[in-house]
């Protein structure tokens, strides 16, 4: 599957109910790169061209080498290049992303649901309720620390986008896992890969990568903002 996600500053359509204001985004999923291009063109209009991008790897998470190589091949086909200094800058800046995002996103979500958490507790999934409860109990120091991490991540992206039109990195930690393996450790790995773009409010495209075992993983292509959202160039190279 192929996907496109807009940035959170795009006004929601219809009667979408917010989850975490400032982090909620719209997007769509398609079966092929061609379908995604067609839908995106109909919704967004003409896209600006994208030049060369940056492949940053797995941010030091230890994705198995064969899986990472398959994802890298997709990124290179889309026009990414390697820049070890830029990749290290982003890796260092994103070290706390998996911790910062639940703090900030959870706090924003808890503010939306504050009026119902106690009165309608039985109607929430217990796991969801527990996360919202944690979100409303965040301390000033926790929020300040998370906001500092968010600022570092955003600054790193701005620095890299001065030299690269897009950034490519894994969106998944290899292929899909079983329900039993979808534990907190796996969730943290996914957050480490996906929270940086959410914290920086970046639009992106996700493409599949065929792994050696026949499964697929996701590769995300991040862009600096909606005005420079070169989705068409990336999809055209991968189609």
């Amino acid at each position: 599957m192929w996907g496109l996600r807009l940035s959170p500053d795009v006004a929601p359509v219809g009667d979408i109910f917010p989850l975490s204001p400032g982090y909620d985004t719209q997007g769509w999923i398609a079966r092929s790169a061609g379908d995604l291009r067609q839908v995106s063109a109909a919704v967004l209009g003409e896209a600006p061209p994208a030049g060369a991008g940056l492949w940053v790897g797995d941010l030091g998470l230890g994705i198995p080498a064969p899986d990472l190589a398959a994802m890298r091949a997709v990124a290179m086909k889309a026009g990414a290049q390697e820049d070890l200094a830029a990749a290290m800058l982003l890796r260092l800046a994103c070290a706390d992303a998996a911790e910062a995002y639940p703090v900030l996103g959870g706090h924003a979500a808890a503010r939306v649901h504050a009026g119902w958490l106690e009165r309608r507790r039985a109607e929430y999934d217990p796991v969801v309720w527990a996360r919202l409860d944690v979100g409303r109990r965040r301390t000033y120091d926790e929020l300040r620390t998370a906001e500092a991490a968010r600022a570092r991540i955003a600054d790193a992206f701005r620095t890299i986008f001065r030299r690269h039109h897009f950034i490519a990195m894994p969106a998944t930690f290899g292929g899909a896992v079983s329900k039993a393996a979808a534990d907190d450790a796996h969730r943290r790995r996914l957050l480490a890969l996906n929270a940086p773009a959410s914290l920086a409010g970046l639009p992106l495209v996700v493409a599949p990568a065929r792994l050696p075992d026949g499964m697929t993983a996701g590769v995300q292509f991040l862009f600096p903002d909606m005005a420079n959202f070169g989705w068409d160039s990336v999809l055209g190279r991968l189609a």
Side-chain angles (χ1 to χ4, degrees):
M1 301 297 287
W2 300 69
L4 183 148
R5 190 188 78 177
L6 305 178
S7 55
D9 57 341
V10 176
V13 296
D15 57 353
I16 297 173
F17 188 81
L19 172 63
S20 297
Y23 300 96
D24 294 342
T25 56
Q26 302 172 68
W28 39 89
I29 297 173
R31 191 179 298 274
S32 68
D35 288 348
L36 190 60
R37 290 182 77 186
Q38 185 174 6
V39 172
S40 301
V43 177
L44 301 175
E46 183 178 352
L54 168 70
W55 166 248
V56 300
D58 70 348
L59 298 181
L61 295 176
I63 293 176
D67 293 353
L68 191 61
M71 290 185 265
R72 177 184 178 278
V74 172
M76 295 302 181
K77 183 178 179 182
Q81 302 172 346
E82 292 187 315
D83 180 338
L84 296 181
M88 180 57 69
L89 170 64
L90 194 61
R91 176 176 174 176
L92 293 174
C94 294
D96 299 323
E99 289 76 30
Y101 180 76
V103 172
L104 297 176
H107 180 68
R111 293 178 65 182
V112 172
H113 290 262
W116 305 302
L117 279 179
E118 298 302 335
R119 289 191 295 112
R120 310 188 73 164
R121 179 172 180 172
E123 299 176 46
Y124 284 90
D125 179 280
V127 174
V128 174
W129 191 93
R131 289 176 181 168
L132 291 169
D133 185 48
V134 170
R136 65 176 172 169
R137 301 178 189 280
R138 294 296 185 184
T139 66
Y140 171 77
D141 286 342
E142 287 177 314
L143 293 169
R144 184 178 61 177
T145 299
E147 180 57 34
R150 188 205 64 77
R152 287 195 299 272
I153 292 168
D155 286 344
F157 276 123
R158 279 192 290 268
T159 298
I160 293 171
F161 281 132
R162 294 191 186 107
R163 298 182 57 184
H164 302 278
H165 284 220
F166 65 86
I167 296 171
M169 56 189 287
T172 62
F173 192 85
V177 301
S178 66
K179 183 176 181 180
D183 53 16
D184 287 342
H186 181 68
R187 181 174 183 270
R188 188 191 183 286
R189 289 193 293 264
L190 292 179
L191 278 176
L193 293 170
N194 293 281
S198 295
L199 289 167
L202 303 178
L204 59 85
V205 167
V206 177
R210 180 70 62 178
L211 302 180
D213 62 3
M215 299 184 71
T216 57
V219 181
Q220 56 182 321
F221 299 88
L222 287 58
F223 297 85
D225 51 55
M226 289 301 300
N228 297 283
F229 193 14
W231 53 267
D232 190 55
S233 297
V234 167
L235 291 175
R237 295 164 186 165
L238 295 175

